[in-house]
Amino acid sequence: MSPMASRGSHSLLIIDDSPEVLALANDLLKQDYRLKAASSGEKGLQLARAEPGPDLILLDVLMPGVDGYEVCRQLKADARTRHIPVLFLSSLDNERDQEYGFEVGAADYICKPISGPVLHARIRNQLAVKDAHDFIQDKNQFLVNEVTKRAKEMEFIQDVTILALASLAETRDQETGNHIRRTQDYVLALAQQLQHHPHFSLLLTRTNIDLIHKSASLHDIGKVGVSDSILLKPGRLNDVEFEEMKRHAALGRQAIENAERQLGRSAPFLTFAKQIANSHHEKWDGSGYPEGLTGEAIPIPARLMAVADVYDALICRRVYKDSMSHEQAREIIIEGKGSHFDPDVVEAFVAVEPEFLGIAERFGD
């Protein structure tokens, strides 16, 4: 049937096979509500699912075909209509019938013959409850949207901070070219390979992997504190110069800590950056620098970076050395298993070799 009236801010759908009941409901409600009517359960379900849906449904129980109980069950099983309150209008007035109506999802049960004042009161009550529910839902959605918006803003601030610091390091060491980009992606490949490993799964969540990937770009930020005569020397460093160069690890951590002090508080998203900058030259057997950490005392992000950094240094040409093939670099990484590198990280490297090769080719100098 077509709409019965068009008034009020709320819309009601009346489903009843009796023309007399539909006419009576129209006379009682048309001044206050926008009305639609259906003379069968099947047609009522169609109208209930159409946009815009009704705010409340008045539903007869005894109808040919799909009865009111089944209509209500289907409405409550459908995500599009389950939130719409259903008021049964029925000549079945025994307690069991009413109880069953509530069991299938009705919000209220009104026995025929219909009393106008009672009908209006019951409808007002249910619409008030629905309006309150809708208001809370709207507020909740607003809060979800605001939290999402703020989270994106925070992520943007984090990315800008990391990129700004990484760019600072890049300006001092032009020879490394795409080294930062390659090592970031090597670290990402290793982290993704290890994320379900029992020794790594607790740390390597999806969020942390993303932060480690971004933070990897800061592994050599401490080189901003190394003198040009050493950093840009066109040849191998002597022992004294190498000792000075080694300071870049601790200087990197200190640079990030200084940035945090400028912010006036510790920034949790820079935790991985500090670990990577400070410890990516530590070795599994304790022979690395700056602190001589051993085994699992070395932070996991730094263990990933150690393999990524050494691999990239081996396959790239420098003024003091020629580049190695992937196969040669692979052998050196494997030889360092358990001495230079975490054995589990080396195994992950072997598993993702094709990804390392693809990254090296894609971002070659």
Side-chain angles (χ1 to χ4, degrees):
M1 297 179 66
S2 59
M4 298 167 61
S6 182
R7 297 191 181 191
S9 60
H10 291 101
S11 63
L12 308 186
L13 170 61
I14 307 167
I15 307 173
D16 199 304
D17 65 325
S18 168
E20 292 79 9
V21 172
L22 293 178
L24 174 61
N26 182 59
D27 289 341
L28 291 172
L29 302 172
K30 65 184 180 182
Q31 297 298 321
D32 300 303
Y33 304 103
R34 291 176 287 113
L35 304 177
K36 289 185 178 181
S39 58
S40 69
E42 294 86 349
K43 181 62 176 178
L45 286 168
Q46 291 178 13
L47 291 176
R49 291 165 178 159
E51 292 292 339
D55 295 306
L56 182 142
I57 296 173
L58 298 172
L59 177 61
D60 186 22
V61 173
L62 297 177
M63 294 184 293
V66 181
D67 68 13
Y69 293 138
E70 180 59 26
V71 170
C72 190
R73 270 193 295 268
Q74 292 190 33
L75 290 170
K76 296 306 171 181
D78 191 329
R80 295 168 294 177
T81 56
R82 65 170 56 124
H83 65 285
I84 304 172
V86 174
L87 276 67
F88 275 122
L89 302 177
S90 178
S91 57
L92 301 175
D93 60 357
N94 67 72
E95 186 175 299
R96 179 58 193 139
D97 291 321
Q98 296 182 39
E99 180 183 353
Y100 190 62
F102 289 115
E103 285 179 3
V104 297
D108 206 343
Y109 195 105
I110 301 173
C111 295
K112 298 177 180 178
I114 299 170
S115 162
V118 170
L119 180 62
H120 273 281
R122 299 285 183 88
I123 290 173
R124 282 196 303 271
N125 288 344
Q126 292 302 325
L127 288 175
V129 172
K130 183 178 184 297
D131 287 347
H133 176 270
D134 291 347
F135 176 79
I136 292 172
Q137 288 294 101
D138 290 344
K139 286 295 183 182
N140 285 344
Q141 189 57 52
F142 173 78
L143 291 174
V144 168
N145 292 340
E146 282 297 299
V147 169
T148 301
K149 178 182 175 182
R150 297 296 175 87
K152 288 181 178 178
E153 290 174 354
M154 287 299 299
E155 184 177 5
F156 175 75
I157 292 170
Q158 291 177 9
D159 291 350
V160 168
T161 302
I162 290 172
L163 287 172
L165 291 169
S167 298
L168 181 64
E170 244 184 320
T171 60
R172 295 293 318 284
D173 194 5
Q174 297 290 340
E175 190 177 37
T176 57
N178 282 326
H179 169 72
I180 288 177
R181 180 61 186 271
R182 289 192 299 270
T183 51
Q184 274 188 290
D185 286 358
Y186 297 149
V187 165
L188 177 62
L190 292 171
Q192 290 175 336
Q193 177 64 25
L194 289 165
Q195 64 181 320
H196 300 301
H197 190 291
H199 294 166
F200 297 84
S201 59
L202 190 62
L203 178 77
L204 295 181
T205 63
R206 183 177 300 179
T207 298
N208 284 349
I209 288 174
D210 183 54
L211 280 174
I212 291 169
H213 176 226
K214 293 174 182 177
S215 298
S217 64
L218 301 179
H219 67 282
D220 276 339
I221 189 176
K223 287 183 177 179
V224 298
V226 178
S227 65
D228 286 349
S229 62
I230 293 174
L231 186 64
L232 305 179
K233 182 179 179 180
R236 286 189 174 276
L237 303 178
N238 61 38
D239 290 346
V240 174
E241 291 167 336
F242 184 59
E243 287 300 315
E244 178 66 19
M245 175 64 84
K246 285 163 63 175
R247 293 180 60 242
H248 82 274
L251 289 173
R253 184 198 73 245
Q254 293 164 12
I256 297 170
E257 289 173 343
N258 288 337
E260 289 181 316
R261 277 193 288 273
Q262 292 296 319
L263 294 172
R265 62 177 181 175
S266 176
F269 75 94
L270 290 174
T271 297
F272 296 138
K274 287 184 287 188
Q275 292 175 348
I276 290 171
N278 189 65
S279 304
H280 69 286
H281 287 294
E282 299 286 1
K283 296 183 179 180
W284 192 251
D285 62 8
S287 63
Y289 64 88
E291 297 174 294
L293 301 178
T294 61
E296 293 184 1
I298 304 169
I300 287 173
R303 293 183 231 165
L304 305 180
M305 176 53 71
V307 170
D309 194 36
V310 170
Y311 173 82
D312 199 66
L314 292 172
I315 66 168
C316 292
R317 184 181 178 278
R318 295 288 182 264
V319 293
Y320 54 85
K321 75 170 191 70
D322 291 327
S323 62
M324 290 185 182
S325 67
H326 168 78
E327 290 70 24
Q328 290 172 306
R330 177 185 187 276
E331 289 306 311
I332 290 175
I333 296 292
I334 292 174
E335 286 173 9
K337 179 179 180 180
S339 55
H340 190 154
F341 307 113
D342 179 341
D344 290 327
V345 179
V346 173
E347 289 182 13
F349 162 76
V350 173
V352 296
E353 273 188 75
E355 291 183 52
F356 268 59
L357 273 169
I359 294 165
E361 291 173 0
R362 191 159 59 250
F363 301 109
D365 292 331

